[in-house]
Amino acid sequence: MSLIQPRTLKGFRDYLPAMMIPREGMMQTAREVFRSYGFSPIDTPVLEYLEILTGKGSDETDRQIYRFQDNGGRDVGMRFDLTVPLARFAAQHAAKLGMPFKRYHIAPVWRGENPQAGRYREFVQCDFDTIGTESVLADIEAVAVINRLLSTLGFDRFTIHVNNRVVLSGLLEHLGLADQTVPILRSLDKLAKIGRDKTAAEMCEAAGVTDAQAESVLRLAECDGDAETVLAQLPEITGGNEKAAAGIERLTQIYQGAIASGVPASRLHLDVSIARGLDYYTGVIFETTLDDLPGIGSVCSGGRYDNLAGLYTKQHLPGIGASLGLDRLLAAMEQMDLLPDASTPASVLVTFFEKSYRDDYLRLAANLREAGIAAEVYPDAKKLGAQLKYADQRGFPMAVIAGGNEWSEGKCQIKTLATKSSEEINYSHDQPGELIARIKQCLDAKQNSAD
RNA sequence: GUGGCUGUAGCUCAAUUGGUUAGAGCAUCGGAUUGUGGUUCCGAGGGUUGGGGGUUCAAGUCCCCUCAGCCACCCCA
């Protein structure tokens, strides 16, 4: 019979232990950070009625949704982000949840687009959102959470780009271009890539603006520098428009609040030119890039959406949140060679030396686990060298070795793989304390030297 | 979805202008070595050259299709 070729779909990937161990660690870190701010976990179905998903996205996002008819003939789709399902969830359960409501959601999403480095058709997002309040405090907190997330994950050099869409829409209102927001945003987004002149030309063509209007918009987008400078220049650039002034005031508060929350000013960049983000954003928007690998794109983006749930309920449910692109970040760490190469989560390999002591090895390993030390017993009484090689290659930091000599003397050997050094420790099944203490000491030492 | 580049063993790469049975290093497994791993030596396995079709006496090499990866557009985590 012919074999079926084992393969995965374009843009979908397997995760081997060496990748999955840090990946799970990142999820755990994200969970801990979210919980420390009071966000609660939720989950929602992978599949939604198609109409739920297509309601608010642009044509572009609609095109990227995996969709099909289920066996009952219903039109369904796989979620392409976690924010739209949240809006549905909030509209459906608002009464039970109470407002404001803070949730986090770590789960895979699917987008049928062309993959690239750090860009997949299936990837995990770590979302956190606060809904039911328009308070600037929630906006500030979002910045603080992003900062805490990235730094807890081990990053030091990253930049959180912050903007408020209201500033631009205020300017557009001032210019009488309020109804051309979307095409103008789209053109503006290309500023860094295609340059000033082409951007202006495209704006004229796509949105029908005059040269003078394009000039005003570009002046806004090109406003750059440290936060104070930008904030000081914005009122004049936006022509004293009231709406823009409110947006600038909000941006100022977010900036000051973030600083007060402990976010280093060096990591904050008020970037009036970032116009990206899904169409549903209405206020502040965020993007986070790694200073050492900007090319991989934003690893944590989000913003405020004040009427997303409006599609599903008449209740006013404003929200703000952001999403950490876990798999993109993982790809970045891989490229930057930041991933540890251990492919086992265990700390100790108990070598299987002499068959007659099988139960003693099992008992010893059980004692280690009881003390919180992950331990694996090698399954075969193979040559010791082979077992140690196995331990080293899998990334076990330590091994325990005991044969007839050790057992009869009430001892066992512990070996630190990295240094090849070993020592004898007193041990009996009833009094494992000395062994456990010493192993923990060695593991701590290794942990510290790795940091 | 559109366009460009790429695709040989698990990994990194060879293979005259198309020309015998597609090679090497590393890795894997076994042995030298029945109580101590990253060295050395010996041996073994592993490929319908991503897959399919075509041109040719002859295709890893040329052409078409397809699949996948990377890049650009678009969009985004």
Side-chain angles (χ1 to χ4, degrees):
Chain A
M1 88 178 223
S2 67
L3 293 171
I4 297 164
Q5 188 194 352
R7 54 185 186 152
T8 49
L9 287 163
K10 181 193 188 84
F12 290 72
R13 344 196 283 163
D14 289 325
Y15 291 88
L16 274 61
M19 194 67 101
M20 200 58 197
I21 289 170
R23 191 168 181 246
E24 278 195 353
M26 291 166 76
M27 289 187 209
Q28 184 56 29
T29 299
R31 260 192 286 276
E32 284 164 7
V33 170
F34 294 148
R35 285 168 176 251
S36 75
Y37 283 83
F39 293 90
S40 302
I42 69 161
D43 200 7
T44 66
V46 165
L47 292 183
E48 295 272 3
Y49 281 102
L50 192 58
E51 62 186 19
I52 299 284
L53 300 177
T54 54
K56 189 63 181 182
S58 61
D59 293 348
E60 184 59 30
T61 55
D62 283 0
R63 209 164 59 79
Q64 292 182 357
I65 295 174
Y66 277 93
R67 64 181 74 193
F68 55 92
Q69 284 199 337
D70 71 6
N71 293 344
R74 285 171 282 258
D75 288 316
V76 300
M78 293 163 80
R79 61 176 175 229
F80 71 94
D81 72 1
L82 300 176
T83 307
V84 168
L86 170 65
R88 190 226 82 216
F89 177 95
Q92 198 170 329
H93 304 293
K96 272 165 282 175
L97 297 171
M99 293 297 149
F101 172 64
K102 296 166 76 170
R103 80 92 174 83
Y104 72 88
H105 192 181
I106 299 175
V109 301
W110 293 268
R111 293 183 191 176
E113 62 180 335
N114 252 350
Q116 276 177 40
R119 208 171 187 190
Y120 312 106
R121 289 184 169 179
E122 175 183 60
F123 57 95
V124 164
Q125 289 194 319
C126 307
D127 267 44
F128 65 96
D129 290 80
T130 300
I131 57 176
T133 174
E134 290 180 350
S135 166
V136 72
L137 205 99
D139 297 20
I140 293 166
E141 188 175 77
V143 180
V145 170
I146 292 173
N147 176 63
R148 183 113 192 92
L149 258 182
L150 271 292
S151 30
T152 310
L153 285 166
F155 288 89
D156 190 37
R157 293 171 38 75
F158 60 90
T159 302
I160 306 171
H161 306 269
V162 185
N163 187 16
N164 187 352
R165 279 195 175 174
V166 175
V167 177
L168 178 66
S169 44
L171 172 67
L172 294 181
E173 186 182 282
H174 173 67
L175 297 171
L177 292 170
D179 55 342
Q180 292 295 321
T181 307
V182 172
I184 290 174
L185 279 176
R186 203 151 284 163
S187 308
L188 203 51
D189 187 40
K190 298 176 187 165
L191 179 59
K193 274 178 201 162
I194 66 178
R196 189 174 216 284
D197 295 345
K198 285 184 181 172
T199 305
E202 185 172 319
M203 252 187 267
C204 296
E205 188 174 339
V209 306
T210 65
D211 288 348
Q213 287 170 327
E215 178 61 28
S216 296
V217 174
L218 284 171
R219 266 192 73 208
L220 178 69
E222 286 171 341
C223 179
D224 201 6
D226 61 55
E228 283 80 5
T229 312
V230 171
L231 290 169
Q233 289 176 352
L234 288 179
E236 187 269 320
I237 293 175
T238 52
N241 174 275
E242 227 171 86
K243 189 174 176 182
I248 294 161
E249 169 58 20
R250 180 112 184 167
L251 206 48
T252 307
Q253 287 191 36
I254 292 169
Y255 177 75
Q256 290 171 348
I259 298 292
S261 306
V263 180
S266 58
R267 286 180 184 160
L268 284 174
H269 183 215
L270 296 191
D271 188 346
V272 200
S273 75
I274 60 166
R276 307 164 76 184
L278 268 28
D279 287 356
Y280 47 67
Y281 293 123
T282 54
V284 57
I285 52 182
F286 312 113
E287 254 179 44
T288 311
T289 53
L290 301 176
D291 297 351
D292 297 317
L293 197 62
I296 201 138
S298 174
V299 294
C300 188
S301 306
R304 177 166 279 283
Y305 44 91
D306 279 344
N307 40 34
L308 185 55
L311 288 166
Y312 319 110
T313 180
K314 286 178 179 167
Q315 186 176 348
H316 181 54
L317 288 176
I320 177 157
S323 180
L324 179 77
L326 187 115
D327 287 317
R328 174 171 290 182
L329 195 57
L330 192 66
M333 292 173 83
E334 189 181 17
Q335 276 190 34
M336 290 153 77
D337 206 22
L338 292 176
L339 295 178
D341 53 8
S343 59
T344 176
S347 302
V348 175
L349 180 75
V350 177
T351 55
F352 191 177
F353 203 170
E354 288 182 29
K355 281 184 179 168
S356 56
Y357 291 99
R358 184 195 68 194
D359 291 352
D360 291 296
Y361 298 127
L362 293 173
R363 185 83 188 276
L364 191 156
N367 275 337
L368 293 179
R369 290 182 200 115
E370 194 69 30
I373 300 168
E376 172 180 335
V377 181
Y378 197 83
D380 299 300
K382 286 219 279 194
K383 287 194 308 184
L384 201 48
Q387 296 189 44
L388 290 172
K389 193 174 175 186
Y390 168 88
D392 190 50
Q393 289 176 338
R394 294 297 165 103
F396 284 89
M398 305 190 71
V400 171
I401 302 168
N405 299 346
E406 284 84 356
W407 288 119
S408 62
E409 292 170 21
K411 294 176 184 301
C412 65
Q413 240 185 81
I414 60 173
K415 182 155 187 147
T416 303
L417 274 301
T419 60
K420 292 184 171 183
S421 63
S422 58
E423 58 183 297
E424 289 207 324
I425 303 283
N426 293 320
Y427 172 82
S428 72
H429 294 319
D430 295 330
Q431 294 190 308
E434 199 176 325
L435 176 72
I436 287 164
R438 183 62 186 143
I439 289 178
K440 282 190 170 168
Q441 201 179 357
C442 293
L443 291 175
D444 285 350
K446 187 179 185 334
Q447 186 64 45
N448 291 336
S449 69
D451 290 347

